[in-house]
Amino acid sequence: MKLDVPPAPLEALVRHFADLRDGTHAGHATRQGKQDAFRQAATLLDAPARQVLAEFDRHLLLGSGTVKATGAQDDAAGGSFATWSLSWPEQRAAAVAPITLVAHYGAGFHHPHLRGATVGEWPLNVTDAGQAAELVPVLRAIATADLHNLVFQRDWRLVPALRP
């Protein structure tokens, strides 16, 4: 019998909520352990983040962009962050934010999070079933972010799969 394995974003979300339930992050209960896990995660994210930004540069910016990464850094409030940004001449001339991926672990956070510079709206331009199917990863990302925010507003008990 084949087990029903959830898509990777859902597995990651369950790990995230289980950490809330258990008071841990990546197996660590102390702030220092969680901080070390964040730094490792930022290192692991470097190649995928650069890959995604390079895809945007190649296909949309025609190679005119510049990728910059900070690596894991401490912030002034006692938290940590890592950023990857893609800037290009037209964006700089317009004085708007570059495309930015941010990993952050705020001083008061239980665990780290990811965000963008302006994330909140996704374009929708679907005219056939193939185009609709191509949106599955985006729809998963939106639903994952939405459920995460709902848990953030209340707590992990909103998710029946986390109950004993």
Side-chain angles (χ1 to χ4, degrees):
M1 171 183 246
K2 186 176 179 181
L3 295 176
D4 182 24
V5 178
L10 298 184
E11 285 186 296
L13 192 61
V14 168
R15 287 194 309 272
H16 189 74
F17 293 157
D19 282 349
L20 286 173
R21 179 193 64 206
D22 301 340
T24 61
H25 173 65
H28 301 279
T30 67
R31 177 70 190 192
Q32 185 60 54
K34 293 175 184 181
Q35 186 73 27
D36 292 344
F38 171 78
R39 290 186 177 282
Q40 179 183 10
T43 298
L44 293 169
L45 278 173
D46 189 64
R50 288 175 185 273
Q51 174 188 328
V52 167
L53 294 177
E55 291 167 358
F56 277 74
D57 183 38
R58 182 173 61 253
H59 296 290
L60 299 175
L61 307 180
L62 307 177
S64 66
T66 301
V67 174
K68 291 185 181 176
T70 64
Q73 307 267 321
D74 294 330
D75 68 24
S80 298
F81 68 93
T83 65
W84 299 264
S85 63
L86 173 61
S87 63
W88 63 101
E90 294 84 355
Q91 164 264 323
R92 290 188 294 272
V96 296
I99 297 170
T100 307
L101 304 171
V102 180
H104 62 108
Y105 182 29
F109 286 20
H110 174 72
H111 47 238
H113 291 90
L114 287 170
R115 64 176 169 81
T118 62
V119 172
E121 300 288 336
W122 274 264
L124 178 60
N125 190 10
V126 171
T127 60
D128 61 44
Q131 291 172 346
E134 290 170 354
L135 287 179
V136 167
V138 172
L139 296 171
R140 284 179 181 146
I142 292 169
T144 297
D146 210 25
L147 182 56
H148 175 267
N149 290 339
L150 293 171
V151 166
F152 186 71
Q153 290 174 17
R154 294 296 180 263
D155 71 17
W156 61 268
R157 290 174 187 84
L158 286 175
V159 183
L162 294 169
R163 293 190 196 126

